[in-house]
Amino acid sequence: MLLSRPSSCRPHTALRGLLRICVAGAALALPALVAAQPFPSKPVKLVVPYPAGGFPDTVARVLAKALTEKWNQQVIIDNRPGGNGAVAAQTIKSAGADGYTLLVTDGSMFTINPAIYSKLEYDHKKDFVPVSALGKAPLFVTVHPSVPANTLAEFIAYVKANPGKVNYGTSGIGSTHHLTGESFSAALDINMVHVPFKGMGQATPALVGGQVQMIFSALPAIAGFVKDNRVKLLAQNSNKRFSQAPNIPTIAETAIPGFDFAPTTIVMAPSGTPPTVLKQLSTDIAAAIRTPAVAE
């Protein structure tokens, strides 16, 4: 017996309509499901506008380790030197304002650069929002052992006796290191030759190798060389002595009253980052830097 074809396909049509409704409903629900995912649900990138080896890079790596452990998500360091912060700024802006790409810097992009450059590739007031301050630490007057000085006063006297013959290295023109050096020289009316490098990762080896006689350096980058007597610490550029080097006097107490150029490292996010994400980032980073290991 042959079965006759149904005279109507309305049950099939109704089924297709129901499927379309389900698919549409799922599509509408998808953004809500994505938004409901806890932050972070994927790796986070910390962009540093300097080469590896400098103070912001060192701080970023310590923070990345702490946040990786806290979030159970990988936190990656992305060094983007160049253009006085323009390369790093563009990297942040093109990544999207979702909290997964952040800037770790010493603040010169937002304080020094706008004062010395007539045009920047980023708007220092509009393109970024603050997330957290990480910490303030001094830069040390660090000299090569060949320099006949064991105190800051002896170093100043040596430079005055040899105008234009003492070179000091920095991480680049317009950096905190450069600003410290020029302010130091101007206040004391001494003549040192500025040698800009592409980051302290280059300036520090140049000091150890004797290509320059002095640098202003953060302690983590030179601690090993100090221990091995390959460099000498004479003073620090903060307004009070650093707890990890209490025996090293400040420039302010020995030579220039009120001198304070210790950099503060900060975390910034792209403008437009959701407030809930900013709040969590700020809370989690603040908690991380308060732990004894990270604080040290």
Side-chain angles (χ1 to χ4, degrees):
M1 179 180 177
L2 296 176
L3 295 175
S4 60
R5 178 178 293 180
S7 59
S8 173
C9 292
R10 277 177 292 182
H12 297 77
T13 302
L15 180 60
R16 286 197 296 270
L18 180 61
L19 288 173
R20 283 197 293 269
I21 292 172
C22 290
V23 170
L28 290 172
L30 185 59
L33 290 173
V34 172
Q37 287 183 325
F39 178 89
S41 57
K42 61 180 182 179
V44 175
K45 183 181 294 184
L46 302 181
V47 177
V48 180
Y50 306 106
F55 181 56
D57 176 74
T58 302
V59 174
R61 291 178 189 278
V62 174
L63 177 64
K65 183 178 184 295
L67 291 178
T68 295
E69 295 172 355
K70 181 176 183 63
W71 289 336
N72 199 28
Q73 284 286 351
Q74 188 176 12
V75 180
I76 304 165
I77 303 299
D78 185 8
N79 297 94
R80 295 280 180 155
N84 301 300
V87 175
Q90 191 57 46
T91 300
I92 297 288
K93 290 167 62 177
S94 62
D98 55 8
Y100 286 94
T101 305
L102 305 169
L103 177 70
V104 178
T105 181
D106 62 4
S108 60
M109 285 176 59
F110 305 96
T111 55
I112 300 176
N113 285 0
I116 64 175
Y117 295 105
S118 60
K119 183 179 180 181
L120 294 172
E121 298 299 322
Y122 58 93
D123 190 319
H124 68 287
K125 293 182 179 180
K126 297 180 180 180
D127 290 343
F128 299 91
V129 292
V131 175
S132 178
L134 297 180
K136 180 179 179 180
L139 302 177
F140 288 80
V141 177
T142 310
V143 299
H144 190 266
S146 63
V147 175
N150 293 312
T151 67
L152 183 64
E154 290 176 353
F155 176 72
I156 294 170
Y158 176 71
V159 175
K160 286 185 175 181
N162 296 274
K165 295 182 180 180
V166 176
N167 299 331
Y168 79 97
T170 73
S171 60
I173 296 173
S175 64
T176 301
H177 309 79
H178 183 204
L179 189 64
T180 297
E182 292 304 304
S183 298
F184 178 76
S185 298
L188 296 171
D189 192 25
I190 59 177
N191 181 12
M192 295 192 298
V193 179
H194 176 221
V195 182
F197 291 88
K198 295 181 179 179
M200 292 307 293
Q202 293 183 3
T204 302
L207 173 71
V208 175
Q211 285 79 48
V212 295
Q213 287 74 55
M214 192 267 274
I215 62 172
F216 291 92
S217 175
L219 189 59
I222 53 173
F225 299 119
V226 174
K227 185 178 180 181
D228 295 340
N229 296 315
R230 300 175 70 182
V231 299
K232 297 184 289 187
L233 300 185
L234 304 185
Q236 44 190 305
N237 75 341
S238 56
N239 59 351
K240 60 181 180 180
R241 297 190 183 193
F242 189 38
S243 60
Q244 293 189 23
N247 295 326
I248 306 299
T250 67
I251 295 173
E253 69 185 83
T254 56
I256 309 170
F259 194 91
D260 184 11
F261 282 89
T264 297
T265 303
I266 58 176
V267 180
M268 305 288 282
S271 295
T273 302
T276 54
V277 173
L278 288 174
K279 182 178 180 180
Q280 183 177 342
L281 284 169
S282 180
T283 300
D284 290 351
I285 291 173
I289 63 178
R290 288 192 183 101
T291 61
V294 175
E296 183 178 353

